[in-house]
Coordinates of all heavy atoms in Angstrom, one line a residue:
M324 N -21.6 4.2 13.7 CA -20.8 5.0 12.9 C -21.2 4.9 11.5 O -21.4 3.8 11.0 CB -19.3 4.7 13.1 CG -18.5 5.6 12.2 SD -16.8 5.2 11.9 CE -15.8 5.0 13.2
T325 N -21.4 6.0 10.8 CA -21.9 6.0 9.4 C -20.7 5.8 8.5 O -19.7 6.5 8.6 CB -22.5 7.4 9.1 OG1 -23.6 7.7 10.0 CG2 -23.0 7.4 7.7
P326 N -20.8 4.8 7.6 CA -19.7 4.6 6.6 C -19.5 5.8 5.8 O -20.4 6.5 5.4 CB -20.2 3.4 5.8 CG -21.5 3.0 6.3 CD -22.0 4.0 7.3
R327 N -18.2 6.0 5.4 CA -17.9 7.1 4.5 C -16.8 6.7 3.6 O -16.0 5.8 3.9 CB -17.5 8.4 5.3 CG -16.4 8.2 6.2 CD -16.2 9.5 6.9 NE -14.7 9.7 7.0 CZ -14.1 10.1 8.1 NH1 -14.8 10.5 9.2 NH2 -12.8 10.2 8.2
P328 N -16.8 7.3 2.4 CA -15.8 6.9 1.4 C -14.3 7.0 1.9 O -14.0 7.9 2.8 CB -16.0 7.9 0.3 CG -17.3 8.4 0.4 CD -17.6 8.4 1.9
I329 N -13.5 6.2 1.5 CA -12.1 6.3 1.8 C -11.5 7.5 1.1 O -11.7 7.7 -0.1 CB -11.3 5.0 1.4 CG1 -11.9 3.8 2.1 CG2 -9.8 5.1 1.6 CD1 -11.4 2.4 1.6
G330 N -10.8 8.3 1.8 CA -10.3 9.5 1.2 C -9.2 9.3 0.1 O -8.3 8.5 0.3
F331 N -9.5 9.9 -1.1 CA -8.5 9.8 -2.2 C -8.8 10.9 -3.1 O -10.0 11.1 -3.4 CB -8.6 8.4 -2.9 CG -7.5 8.2 -3.9 CD1 -6.2 7.8 -3.4 CD2 -7.6 8.4 -5.2 CE1 -5.2 7.6 -4.3 CE2 -6.6 8.3 -6.1 CZ -5.4 7.8 -5.6
P332 N -7.8 11.6 -3.7 CA -8.1 12.7 -4.6 C -8.8 12.3 -5.8 O -8.4 11.3 -6.5 CB -6.8 13.3 -4.9 CG -5.8 12.7 -4.0 CD -6.4 11.5 -3.4
V333 N -9.9 12.9 -6.2 CA -10.7 12.6 -7.4 C -9.7 12.6 -8.7 O -9.9 11.7 -9.5 CB -11.9 13.5 -7.6 CG1 -12.6 13.3 -8.9 CG2 -12.8 13.4 -6.5
E334 N -8.8 13.5 -8.7 CA -7.9 13.6 -9.9 C -6.8 12.6 -9.8 O -6.1 12.4 -10.8 CB -7.3 15.0 -10.0 CG -6.4 15.4 -8.9 CD -7.0 15.8 -7.6 OE1 -8.3 15.9 -7.5 OE2 -6.2 16.2 -6.7
G335 N -6.7 11.8 -8.7 CA -5.7 10.8 -8.6 C -4.4 11.4 -8.0 O -4.3 12.5 -7.5
L336 N -3.4 10.6 -8.0 CA -2.1 11.0 -7.5 C -1.0 10.7 -8.5 O -1.1 9.6 -9.2 CB -1.7 10.1 -6.2 CG -2.5 10.3 -5.0 CD1 -2.1 9.4 -3.9 CD2 -2.4 11.8 -4.5
S337 N -0.1 11.6 -8.7 CA 0.9 11.4 -9.7 C 2.2 12.1 -9.3 O 2.2 13.1 -8.6 CB 0.5 12.1 -11.1 OG 1.5 12.0 -12.0
E338 N 3.3 11.5 -9.7 CA 4.6 12.0 -9.5 C 5.2 12.6 -10.8 O 6.4 13.0 -10.8 CB 5.6 11.1 -8.8 CG 5.6 9.6 -9.4 CD 6.1 9.5 -10.8 OE1 5.2 9.6 -11.7 OE2 7.2 9.2 -11.1
G339 N 4.4 12.7 -11.8 CA 4.7 13.3 -13.1 C 4.8 12.3 -14.2 O 4.6 12.7 -15.4
V340 N 5.0 11.0 -14.0 CA 5.1 10.0 -15.0 C 3.9 9.0 -14.8 O 3.2 8.6 -15.8 CB 6.4 9.3 -15.0 CG1 6.4 8.2 -16.1 CG2 7.5 10.3 -15.3
I341 N 3.8 8.5 -13.6 CA 2.8 7.5 -13.3 C 1.7 8.1 -12.5 O 1.9 9.0 -11.6 CB 3.4 6.4 -12.5 CG1 4.5 5.7 -13.4 CG2 2.4 5.4 -12.0 CD1 5.3 4.7 -12.6
R342 N 0.4 7.8 -12.8 CA -0.7 8.3 -12.0 C -1.6 7.2 -11.5 O -1.9 6.3 -12.2 CB -1.6 9.2 -12.9 CG -2.7 9.9 -12.2 CD -3.4 11.0 -12.9 NE -4.0 10.6 -14.1 CZ -5.3 10.7 -14.3 NH1 -6.1 11.2 -13.4 NH2 -5.8 10.2 -15.5
L343 N -1.9 7.2 -10.2 CA -2.9 6.3 -9.6 C -4.3 7.0 -9.7 O -4.3 8.2 -9.3 CB -2.6 6.0 -8.2 CG -1.3 5.2 -7.9 CD1 -1.0 5.1 -6.4 CD2 -1.4 3.8 -8.5
R344 N -5.3 6.4 -10.1 CA -6.6 7.0 -10.2 C -7.7 6.0 -10.1 O -7.5 4.8 -10.2 CB -6.7 7.8 -11.5 CG -6.6 6.9 -12.7 CD -6.9 7.6 -14.0 NE -6.7 6.8 -15.2 CZ -7.5 5.9 -15.6 NH1 -8.7 5.6 -15.0 NH2 -7.3 5.2 -16.7
F345 N -8.9 6.5 -9.9 CA -10.1 5.6 -9.9 C -10.3 5.0 -11.3 O -10.1 5.7 -12.3 CB -11.4 6.4 -9.5 CG -11.4 6.8 -8.1 CD1 -11.3 8.2 -7.7 CD2 -11.5 5.9 -7.0 CE1 -11.3 8.6 -6.4 CE2 -11.5 6.3 -5.7 CZ -11.4 7.6 -5.4
P346 N -10.8 3.8 -11.4 CA -11.1 3.2 -12.7 C -12.4 3.9 -13.2 O -13.3 4.3 -12.4 CB -11.3 1.7 -12.4 CG -11.5 1.6 -11.0 CD -10.9 2.8 -10.3
T347 N -12.5 4.0 -14.5 CA -13.7 4.5 -15.2 C -14.2 3.6 -16.3 O -13.5 2.6 -16.6 CB -13.4 5.9 -15.8 OG1 -12.5 5.7 -16.9 CG2 -12.8 6.9 -14.8
D348 N -15.3 3.9 -16.8 CA -15.9 3.2 -17.9 C -14.9 3.1 -19.1 O -14.9 2.1 -19.8 CB -17.2 3.7 -18.4 CG -18.4 3.5 -17.4 OD1 -18.2 2.6 -16.5 OD2 -19.4 4.1 -17.6
A349 N -14.1 4.1 -19.3 CA -13.1 4.1 -20.4 C -12.1 3.0 -20.2 O -11.4 2.7 -21.2 CB -12.4 5.5 -20.5
D350 N -11.9 2.5 -19.0 CA -10.9 1.5 -18.7 C -11.5 0.0 -19.0 O -10.7 -0.9 -19.0 CB -10.5 1.5 -17.2 CG -9.8 2.8 -16.9 OD1 -8.8 3.2 -17.6 OD2 -10.2 3.4 -15.9
I351 N -12.7 -0.1 -19.3 CA -13.3 -1.4 -19.5 C -12.6 -2.2 -20.6 O -12.3 -3.4 -20.3 CB -14.8 -1.3 -19.8 CG1 -15.5 -0.9 -18.5 CG2 -15.4 -2.6 -20.3 CD1 -17.0 -0.6 -18.6
P352 N -12.3 -1.7 -21.7 CA -11.6 -2.5 -22.7 C -10.2 -3.0 -22.2 O -9.9 -4.2 -22.4 CB -11.4 -1.6 -23.9 CG -12.5 -0.6 -23.8 CD -12.7 -0.4 -22.3
A353 N -9.5 -2.2 -21.5 CA -8.2 -2.6 -20.9 C -8.4 -3.7 -19.8 O -7.6 -4.6 -19.7 CB -7.4 -1.4 -20.4
I354 N -9.4 -3.5 -19.0 CA -9.7 -4.5 -17.9 C -10.0 -5.8 -18.6 O -9.5 -6.9 -18.1 CB -10.8 -4.0 -17.0 CG1 -10.4 -2.8 -16.3 CG2 -11.3 -5.1 -16.1 CD1 -11.5 -2.0 -15.5
V355 N -10.9 -5.8 -19.6 CA -11.2 -7.1 -20.3 C -10.0 -7.7 -20.9 O -9.8 -8.9 -20.8 CB -12.4 -6.9 -21.3 CG1 -12.6 -8.1 -22.1 CG2 -13.7 -6.4 -20.6
A356 N -9.2 -6.9 -21.6 CA -8.0 -7.4 -22.2 C -7.0 -8.0 -21.2 O -6.5 -9.1 -21.4 CB -7.3 -6.3 -23.0
A357 N -6.9 -7.4 -20.1 CA -6.0 -7.9 -19.0 C -6.5 -9.2 -18.5 O -5.7 -10.2 -18.2 CB -5.8 -6.9 -17.9
C358 N -7.8 -9.3 -18.3 CA -8.4 -10.5 -17.7 C -8.5 -11.6 -18.8 O -8.8 -12.8 -18.4 CB -9.8 -10.2 -17.2 SG -9.7 -9.2 -15.7
S359 N -8.2 -11.4 -20.0 CA -8.1 -12.4 -21.0 C -6.8 -13.2 -21.0 O -6.7 -14.2 -21.7 CB -8.3 -11.8 -22.4 OG -9.6 -11.2 -22.5
D360 N -5.8 -12.7 -20.3 CA -4.6 -13.4 -20.1 C -4.9 -14.7 -19.4 O -5.5 -14.7 -18.3 CB -3.6 -12.6 -19.3 CG -2.3 -13.3 -19.1 OD1 -2.2 -14.5 -19.0 OD2 -1.3 -12.5 -18.9
P361 N -4.6 -15.9 -19.9 CA -4.9 -17.2 -19.3 C -4.4 -17.3 -17.9 O -4.9 -18.1 -17.1 CB -4.4 -18.2 -20.2 CG -3.5 -17.6 -21.2 CD -3.9 -16.1 -21.2
E362 N -3.3 -16.6 -17.5 CA -2.8 -16.7 -16.2 C -3.6 -16.0 -15.1 O -3.6 -16.4 -14.0 CB -1.4 -16.1 -16.1 CG -0.3 -16.9 -16.9 CD -0.2 -18.4 -16.4 OE1 0.1 -18.5 -15.2 OE2 -0.3 -19.3 -17.2
I363 N -4.4 -15.0 -15.6 CA -5.3 -14.3 -14.6 C -6.3 -15.3 -14.0 O -6.4 -15.4 -12.8 CB -5.9 -13.1 -15.2 CG1 -4.9 -12.1 -15.7 CG2 -6.9 -12.4 -14.3 CD1 -4.0 -11.5 -14.6
P364 N -7.2 -16.0 -14.8 CA -8.1 -16.9 -14.2 C -7.4 -18.1 -13.5 O -8.0 -18.6 -12.5 CB -9.0 -17.4 -15.4 CG -8.6 -16.5 -16.5 CD -7.4 -15.8 -16.2
R365 N -6.3 -18.4 -13.9 CA -5.6 -19.5 -13.3 C -5.2 -19.2 -11.9 O -5.3 -20.1 -11.0 CB -4.3 -19.8 -14.1 CG -3.5 -20.9 -13.5 CD -2.3 -21.2 -14.4 NE -1.5 -22.3 -13.7 CZ -0.2 -22.5 -14.0 NH1 0.4 -21.8 -15.0 NH2 0.4 -23.5 -13.4
W366 N -4.8 -18.0 -11.6 CA -4.3 -17.7 -10.2 C -5.3 -16.8 -9.4 O -4.9 -16.4 -8.3 CB -3.0 -17.0 -10.3 CG -2.0 -17.9 -11.0 CD1 -1.5 -17.8 -12.3 CD2 -1.3 -19.0 -10.4 NE1 -0.6 -18.8 -12.5 CE2 -0.5 -19.6 -11.4 CE3 -1.4 -19.6 -9.2 CZ2 0.3 -20.7 -11.2 CZ3 -0.6 -20.8 -8.9 CH2 0.2 -21.3 -9.9
T367 N -6.4 -16.4 -10.0 CA -7.3 -15.5 -9.3 C -8.7 -16.1 -9.4 O -8.9 -17.2 -9.9 CB -7.4 -14.1 -9.9 OG1 -8.0 -14.1 -11.2 CG2 -6.0 -13.5 -10.0
Q368 N -9.7 -15.3 -8.9 CA -11.1 -15.8 -9.0 C -11.8 -15.2 -10.2 O -13.0 -15.3 -10.4 CB -11.8 -15.3 -7.7 CG -11.3 -16.0 -6.5 CD -12.0 -15.6 -5.3 OE1 -13.0 -14.9 -5.3 NE2 -11.5 -16.1 -4.1
V369 N -11.1 -14.5 -11.1 CA -11.6 -14.0 -12.4 C -12.0 -15.2 -13.3 O -11.2 -16.1 -13.5 CB -10.6 -13.1 -13.1 CG1 -11.1 -12.7 -14.5 CG2 -10.3 -11.9 -12.3
P370 N -13.3 -15.2 -13.8 CA -13.7 -16.3 -14.6 C -13.0 -16.3 -16.0 O -12.5 -15.3 -16.5 CB -15.2 -16.1 -14.8 CG -15.4 -14.6 -14.6 CD -14.3 -14.2 -13.6
D371 N -12.9 -17.5 -16.6 CA -12.3 -17.7 -17.9 C -12.9 -16.9 -19.0 O -12.2 -16.4 -19.9 CB -12.3 -19.2 -18.3 CG -11.4 -20.1 -17.6 OD1 -10.3 -19.6 -17.2 OD2 -11.8 -21.2 -17.3
D372 N -14.2 -16.7 -18.9 CA -14.9 -16.0 -20.0 C -15.2 -14.5 -19.6 O -16.3 -14.0 -19.9 CB -16.1 -16.7 -20.4 CG -17.1 -17.0 -19.2 OD1 -16.7 -16.7 -18.0 OD2 -18.2 -17.4 -19.4
Y373 N -14.3 -13.9 -18.9 CA -14.5 -12.5 -18.4 C -14.8 -11.6 -19.6 O -14.0 -11.5 -20.6 CB -13.3 -12.1 -17.7 CG -13.5 -10.8 -16.8 CD1 -13.9 -10.9 -15.5 CD2 -13.2 -9.6 -17.4 CE1 -14.0 -9.7 -14.8 CE2 -13.3 -8.4 -16.6 CZ -13.7 -8.5 -15.3 OH -13.9 -7.4 -14.6
G374 N -15.9 -10.8 -19.5 CA -16.2 -9.9 -20.6 C -16.6 -8.5 -20.2 O -16.4 -8.2 -19.0
E375 N -17.1 -7.7 -21.1 CA -17.5 -6.3 -20.8 C -18.5 -6.2 -19.6 O -18.3 -5.4 -18.8 CB -18.0 -5.6 -22.0 CG -18.3 -4.2 -21.8 CD -18.7 -3.5 -23.1 OE1 -18.2 -3.8 -24.2 OE2 -19.6 -2.6 -23.0
S376 N -19.5 -7.1 -19.6 CA -20.5 -7.0 -18.5 C -19.9 -7.3 -17.2 O -20.2 -6.7 -16.2 CB -21.7 -7.9 -18.8 OG -21.3 -9.3 -18.9
D377 N -18.9 -8.2 -17.2 CA -18.2 -8.5 -15.9 C -17.4 -7.3 -15.4 O -17.4 -7.0 -14.2 CB -17.2 -9.7 -16.1 CG -17.9 -11.0 -16.4 OD1 -18.8 -11.4 -15.7 OD2 -17.7 -11.5 -17.5
A378 N -16.7 -6.6 -16.4 CA -15.9 -5.4 -16.0 C -16.9 -4.3 -15.5 O -16.5 -3.6 -14.5 CB -15.1 -5.0 -17.2
R379 N -18.0 -4.1 -16.1 CA -19.0 -3.1 -15.7 C -19.5 -3.4 -14.3 O -19.6 -2.5 -13.4 CB -20.1 -3.0 -16.6 CG -19.8 -2.3 -17.9 CD -21.0 -2.0 -18.8 NE -20.6 -1.5 -20.0 CZ -20.1 -0.3 -20.3 NH1 -20.0 0.6 -19.3 NH2 -19.7 0.1 -21.5
E380 N -19.8 -4.7 -14.0 CA -20.2 -5.1 -12.7 C -19.1 -4.9 -11.7 O -19.4 -4.4 -10.6 CB -20.6 -6.6 -12.7 CG -21.2 -7.1 -11.4 CD -21.6 -8.5 -11.5 OE1 -22.0 -9.0 -12.6 OE2 -21.6 -9.2 -10.4
W381 N -17.9 -5.2 -12.0 CA -16.8 -5.0 -11.1 C -16.6 -3.5 -10.8 O -16.5 -3.1 -9.6 CB -15.5 -5.5 -11.7 CG -14.3 -5.3 -10.8 CD1 -13.9 -6.1 -9.7 CD2 -13.3 -4.3 -10.9 NE1 -12.8 -5.5 -9.2 CE2 -12.4 -4.4 -9.9 CE3 -13.1 -3.2 -11.8 CZ2 -11.3 -3.6 -9.7 CZ3 -12.1 -2.3 -11.6 CH2 -11.2 -2.5 -10.6
L382 N -16.7 -2.6 -11.8 CA -16.6 -1.2 -11.6 C -17.7 -0.7 -10.6 O -17.4 0.1 -9.7 CB -16.7 -0.4 -12.9 CG -15.4 -0.4 -13.7 CD1 -15.7 0.4 -15.0 CD2 -14.3 0.3 -13.0
D383 N -18.9 -1.1 -10.9 CA -20.1 -0.7 -10.0 C -19.8 -1.2 -8.6 O -20.1 -0.4 -7.6 CB -21.4 -1.3 -10.5 CG -21.8 -0.7 -11.8 OD1 -21.3 0.4 -12.2 OD2 -22.7 -1.3 -12.5
T384 N -19.4 -2.4 -8.4 CA -19.1 -3.0 -7.1 C -18.0 -2.2 -6.4 O -18.1 -1.9 -5.2 CB -18.7 -4.5 -7.2 OG1 -19.8 -5.2 -7.8 CG2 -18.4 -5.0 -5.8
Q385 N -17.0 -1.8 -7.1 CA -15.9 -1.1 -6.5 C -16.3 0.3 -6.1 O -15.9 0.8 -5.0 CB -14.7 -1.0 -7.5 CG -14.1 -2.3 -7.8 CD -14.0 -3.3 -6.7 OE1 -13.5 -3.0 -5.6 NE2 -14.5 -4.5 -6.8
K386 N -17.2 1.0 -6.9 CA -17.7 2.3 -6.5 C -18.5 2.2 -5.2 O -18.4 3.0 -4.3 CB -18.6 2.8 -7.6 CG -17.8 3.3 -8.8 CD -18.7 3.7 -9.9 CE -18.0 4.0 -11.2 NZ -18.9 4.2 -12.4
E387 N -19.4 1.1 -5.1 CA -20.2 0.9 -3.9 C -19.2 0.7 -2.7 O -19.5 1.3 -1.6 CB -21.1 -0.3 -4.1 CG -22.2 -0.1 -5.1 CD -22.9 -1.4 -5.4 OE1 -22.7 -2.4 -4.7 OE2 -23.8 -1.3 -6.3
R388 N -18.2 -0.1 -2.8 CA -17.3 -0.4 -1.7 C -16.5 0.8 -1.3 O -16.2 1.0 -0.1 CB -16.4 -1.6 -2.1 CG -17.3 -2.9 -2.2 CD -16.4 -4.1 -2.6 NE -17.2 -5.3 -2.7 CZ -16.8 -6.4 -3.1 NH1 -15.6 -6.6 -3.6 NH2 -17.7 -7.5 -3.2
H389 N -16.1 1.6 -2.3 CA -15.4 2.8 -1.9 C -16.3 3.7 -1.1 O -15.8 4.3 -0.1 CB -14.9 3.5 -3.2 CG -14.3 4.9 -2.9 ND1 -14.9 6.0 -3.4 CD2 -13.3 5.3 -2.2 CE1 -14.3 7.0 -3.0 NE2 -13.2 6.6 -2.3
H390 N -17.5 3.9 -1.6 CA -18.4 4.8 -0.9 C -18.8 4.3 0.5 O -19.1 5.1 1.4 CB -19.6 5.2 -1.7 CG -19.3 6.1 -2.9 ND1 -18.9 7.4 -2.7 CD2 -19.3 5.8 -4.2 CE1 -18.7 7.9 -3.9 NE2 -18.9 7.0 -4.8
A391 N -18.7 3.0 0.7 CA -19.0 2.4 2.0 C -17.8 2.4 2.9 O -17.9 2.1 4.1 CB -19.5 0.9 1.8
G392 N -16.7 2.8 2.3 CA -15.4 2.9 3.1 C -14.8 1.6 3.4 O -13.9 1.4 4.3
S393 N -15.1 0.5 2.5 CA -14.5 -0.8 2.8 C -13.4 -1.2 1.9 O -12.6 -2.0 2.2 CB -15.6 -1.8 2.7 OG -16.2 -1.9 1.4
E394 N -13.3 -0.5 0.7 CA -12.2 -0.9 -0.3 C -11.9 0.3 -1.1 O -12.7 1.2 -1.3 CB -12.7 -2.0 -1.2 CG -12.9 -3.4 -0.5 CD -13.2 -4.5 -1.4 OE1 -13.0 -4.4 -2.7 OE2 -13.9 -5.4 -1.0
L395 N -10.7 0.3 -1.7 CA -10.3 1.3 -2.6 C -9.4 0.7 -3.7 O -8.3 0.2 -3.4 CB -9.4 2.4 -1.8 CG -8.9 3.5 -2.7 CD1 -10.0 4.4 -3.3 CD2 -7.9 4.4 -1.9
H396 N -10.0 0.6 -4.9 CA -9.3 0.0 -6.0 C -8.9 1.1 -7.0 O -9.8 2.0 -7.3 CB -10.2 -1.0 -6.7 CG -10.4 -2.3 -5.9 ND1 -9.8 -3.4 -6.2 CD2 -11.2 -2.5 -4.8 CE1 -10.1 -4.4 -5.4 NE2 -10.9 -3.8 -4.5
L397 N -7.7 1.1 -7.4 CA -7.2 2.1 -8.3 C -6.5 1.5 -9.5 O -6.2 0.3 -9.5 CB -6.1 2.9 -7.5 CG -6.5 3.5 -6.2 CD1 -5.3 4.1 -5.5 CD2 -7.6 4.6 -6.5
V398 N -6.4 2.3 -10.6 CA -5.7 1.8 -11.8 C -4.4 2.7 -11.9 O -4.3 3.8 -11.4 CB -6.5 1.9 -13.0 CG1 -7.7 0.9 -12.9 CG2 -7.0 3.3 -13.3
I399 N -3.4 2.2 -12.6 CA -2.2 2.9 -12.8 C -2.2 3.4 -14.3 O -2.5 2.6 -15.2 CB -1.0 2.0 -12.6 CG1 -1.0 1.5 -11.2 CG2 0.3 2.7 -12.9 CD1 0.1 0.5 -10.8

């Protein structure tokens, strides 16, 4: 069986106030800021010194996994 992306609308899903969507490069500063919270590395596998290159690598990995049909990561 050929892997295929997990179905999800490109524009995201919204009920009018909150929208779920794919992460983009524009989200990198917010991802880095969130991962700078000391509780994030404490309770997850995110490294203490998480930076922009880590966020870009994560985005690239998530795109690959989505297209392979193995994972679907979204932002709110």
Side-chain angles (χ1 to χ4, degrees):
M324 183 195 298
T325 304
R327 55 181 220 224
I329 298 169
F331 191 81
V333 174
E334 68 279 1
L336 293 175
S337 177
E338 44 62 275
V340 177
I341 297 172
R342 182 167 68 115
L343 295 174
R344 62 174 175 77
F345 291 111
T347 68
D348 288 347
D350 296 310
I351 289 175
I354 293 168
V355 172
C358 291
S359 296
D360 179 330
E362 292 299 306
I363 298 298
R365 179 178 177 196
W366 300 104
T367 70
Q368 295 179 7
V369 172
D371 286 325
D372 57 349
Y373 193 90
E375 185 177 320
S376 63
D377 298 300
R379 286 189 189 284
E380 182 178 334
W381 179 80
L382 281 176
D383 290 343
T384 300
Q385 298 321 308
K386 288 175 189 173
E387 291 170 7
R388 291 176 179 173
H389 170 246
H390 289 292
S393 64
E394 294 181 23
L395 179 64
H396 288 257
L397 305 170
V398 295
I399 300 173

